[in-house]
């Protein structure tokens, strides 16, 4: 088991800096997910923790020891990659036993660990098979088995589910989470998939362009994103936004005046926002309510998307495309107008220029 601390970690390739001073403390036993768009530096950061990439600056502590210049094998880490990297000519058992054999452990010492890992990962009846006779999910489980028998203090997962089809991804995500609940080891998990981050993490680290945008528990980030980037990155369909200028509302308090003249009353205390400033309002699709009366914000429905469990209505508000999600089956047709209510406690407000949350 190991806590991990990153202080002012940066990475430069030649003259180009790609990771800019990362500070992150990971508790012993915590499952932390690094999430962000492709190219934001997640893999580079993880590879620096693994020792596969040199750290250009800052301090990396693993289990209380400075690890910047430790060789990968001295860090007591196991890593699972997107490509399973199994040896095609070796059986499942031998693939899992590969590490212990290289380390010259006796087979009587590692055999029970392999059997326990195989049982835990439902691979017990496949130990004699070659990788080509396994499904994608089973192969990924073998890769995890190999990581588990090392009994590492820290597990690193780099997009381990990206090669699997959608259904298997959902299943494996549950399995990895269950594995963590059993082993209670420290996990750093890299993904670009915000649903994986939301469902698996104890804490999510949202990255963008080599920096951390926000760190927090999944639902805390979902409910109170610190800025426009996090607000738009987490959630599917993503949060709806409307840009406008803050004005005094005729009924008192503040309103946001959109480009098309629509005024939306705001719940925010005037002290935290200035009349005349540009602001962006955000509301999640599932929080927008459709009204039977016409006194809400009007939207012409352009597309109706039934998913079975819910229906998505798409249209434009203030020039931006909005999505409204309803749990009810909807009779609304494209071309019809709907009247929308944006409940006060579900309105997020951001400074348009800086992107920062305003309350
Ligand atoms: P992510 O994992 O979030 O997709 P990466 O960590 O792979 O992002 O990459 C972060 C940035 O670093 C990208 O802009 C990428 O082009 C750059 N990068 C990664 N590896 C190298 C390298 N060996 N040399 C130069 N630039 C690199």
């Amino acid at each position: 088991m190991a806590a991990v601390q990153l202080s002012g970690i940066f990475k430069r390739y030649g003259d180009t800096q790609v990771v800019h001073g990362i500070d992150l403390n990971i508790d012993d036993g915590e499952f932390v997910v690094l999430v962000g768009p492709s190219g934001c530096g997640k893999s580079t950061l993880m590879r620096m923790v693994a020792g596969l990439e040199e750290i250009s600056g800052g301090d990396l502590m693993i289990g209380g020891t400075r690890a910047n210049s430790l060789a990968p094998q001295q860090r007591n880490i196991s890593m699972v990659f997107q490509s399973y990297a199994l040896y095609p000519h070796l059986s499942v058992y031998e693939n899992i036993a590969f590490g212990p054999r290289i380390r010259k452990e006796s087979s009587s010492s590692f055999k029970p660990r392999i059997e326990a890992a195989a049982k835990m990962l439902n691979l017990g009846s496949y130990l004699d098979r070659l990788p080509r006779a396994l499904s994608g999910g089973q192969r990924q489980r073998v890769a995890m088995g190999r990581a588990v028998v090392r009994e590492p203090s820290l597990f690193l997962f780099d997009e381990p589910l990206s090669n699997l089809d959608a259904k298997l991804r959902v299943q494996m995500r549950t399995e990895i989470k269950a594995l963590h609940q059993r082993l209670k080891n420290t996990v750093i998990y890299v993904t670009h998939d915000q649903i994986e981050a939301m469902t698996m993490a104890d804490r999510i680290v949202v990255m963008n362009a080599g920096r951390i945008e926000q760190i927090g528990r999944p639902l805390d980030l979902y409910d109170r994103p610190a800025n426009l980037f996090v607000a738009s990155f987490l959630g599917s369909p993503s949060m709806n936004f409307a840009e406008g200028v803050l004005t005094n509302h005729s009924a008192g308090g503040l309103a946001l005046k959109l480009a098309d003249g629509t005024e939306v009353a705001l719940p925010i205390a005037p002290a935290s926002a200035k009349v005349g400033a540009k602001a962006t309002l955000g509301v999640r699709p599932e929080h927008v309510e459709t009204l039977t009366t016409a006194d809400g914000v009007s939207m012409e429905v352009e597309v109706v998307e039934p998913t079975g469990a819910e229906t998505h209505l798409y249209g434009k508000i203030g020039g931006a495309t909005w999505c409204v999600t309803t749990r009810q089956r909807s009779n609304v047709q494209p071309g019809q107008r709907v009247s929308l209510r944006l409940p006060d406690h579900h309105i997020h407000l951001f400074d348009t220029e800086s992107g920062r949350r305003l309350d």
Side-chain angles (χ1 to χ4, degrees):
M1 303 287 162
V4 180
Q5 280 116 25
L6 287 79
S7 316
I9 294 279
F10 67 90
K11 177 69 188 175
R12 224 184 269 119
Y13 290 109
D15 291 339
T16 315
Q17 190 157 324
V18 297
V19 171
H20 309 275
I22 299 287
D23 295 312
L24 175 62
N25 288 333
I26 299 172
D27 289 337
D28 188 11
E30 201 176 11
F31 195 124
V32 165
V33 177
L34 308 181
V35 67
S38 180
C40 73
K42 321 175 282 292
S43 297
T44 303
L45 192 61
M46 165 162 292
R47 291 169 64 80
M48 286 193 281
V49 174
L52 302 174
E53 201 70 74
E54 200 183 320
I55 298 173
S56 307
D59 291 307
L60 167 68
M61 308 285 287
I62 300 177
T65 306
R66 191 168 189 274
N68 287 49
S69 29
L70 289 183
Q73 58 276 18
Q74 293 173 306
R75 298 185 187 201
N76 198 15
I77 280 173
S78 275
M79 195 152 172
V80 179
F81 296 94
Q82 176 177 348
S83 62
Y84 331 114
L86 302 182
Y87 297 101
H89 57 291
L90 296 182
S91 67
V92 167
Y93 184 92
E94 287 304 325
N95 262 286
I96 301 177
F98 193 81
R101 281 203 202 286
I102 289 282
R103 288 191 296 278
K104 304 226 178 333
E105 285 184 40
S106 69
S107 105
S108 59
S109 104
F110 65 67
K111 194 161 181 262
R113 293 203 324 267
I114 292 182
E115 282 166 356
K119 188 160 173 245
M120 187 160 61
L121 293 161
N122 277 328
L123 289 168
S125 31
Y126 305 104
L127 286 171
D128 296 329
R129 284 208 198 168
L130 291 176
R132 68 165 177 270
L134 299 177
S135 70
Q138 288 163 340
R139 283 180 213 173
Q140 191 53 281
R141 276 192 225 126
V142 177
M144 287 202 279
R146 222 166 31 180
V148 167
V149 290
R150 281 202 70 166
E151 299 185 328
S153 50
L154 175 61
F155 265 112
L156 303 179
F157 288 92
D158 192 358
E159 305 253 5
L161 308 184
S162 301
N163 282 344
L164 305 178
D165 65 46
K167 200 168 167 202
L168 249 180
R169 271 210 304 270
V170 173
Q171 189 187 327
M172 290 301 291
R173 163 171 114 192
T174 318
E175 287 185 23
I176 293 176
K177 186 94 184 128
L179 185 71
H180 174 250
Q181 274 157 8
R182 240 172 287 153
L183 298 176
K184 300 198 178 0
N185 43 7
T186 313
V187 174
I188 307 179
Y189 186 106
V190 161
T191 180
H192 63 276
D193 180 340
Q194 52 94 19
I195 303 272
E196 271 179 38
M198 287 297 294
T199 51
M200 298 174 87
D202 291 326
R203 273 192 310 154
I204 295 179
V205 178
V206 182
M207 290 184 65
N208 178 30
R211 292 192 167 80
I212 293 179
E213 294 278 350
Q214 195 174 2
I215 305 176
R217 290 183 300 182
L219 291 179
D220 291 344
L221 296 199
Y222 191 82
D223 291 342
R224 277 190 70 81
N227 53 50
L228 279 170
F229 182 85
V230 177
S232 62
F233 191 78
L234 296 181
S236 178
S238 92
M239 189 184 278
N240 299 305
F241 296 105
E243 288 184 19
V245 174
L246 295 170
T247 57
N248 287 310
H249 195 250
S250 45
L254 273 186
L256 189 70
K257 189 164 188 179
L258 311 185
D260 63 1
T262 311
E263 279 194 17
V264 184
L266 296 173
I268 196 163
S272 58
K274 288 193 187 65
V275 169
K278 287 186 188 161
T280 300
L281 164 153
V283 187
R284 295 206 179 275
E286 72 273 23
H287 293 148
V288 181
E289 294 170 10
T290 46
L291 300 174
T292 46
T293 54
D295 52 355
V297 178
S298 176
M299 178 179 93
E300 182 182 328
V301 174
E302 293 169 357
V303 176
V304 178
E305 247 181 29
T307 69
E310 53 195 28
T311 304
H312 304 313
L313 308 176
Y314 290 91
K316 293 228 166 41
I317 289 186
T321 298
W322 273 45
C323 173
V324 177
T325 301
T326 62
R327 301 286 295 178
Q328 277 97 40
R329 302 253 158 133
S330 174
N331 295 323
V332 175
Q333 300 297 320
Q336 255 177 272
R337 295 198 81 84
V338 287
S339 173
L340 306 176
R341 190 174 94 86
L342 315 179
D344 281 359
H345 59 289
H346 286 308
I347 289 184
H348 306 260
L349 197 64
F350 304 94
D351 180 301
T352 304
E353 307 272 311
S354 68
R356 274 200 299 273
R357 187 180 188 89
L358 275 175
D359 55 341

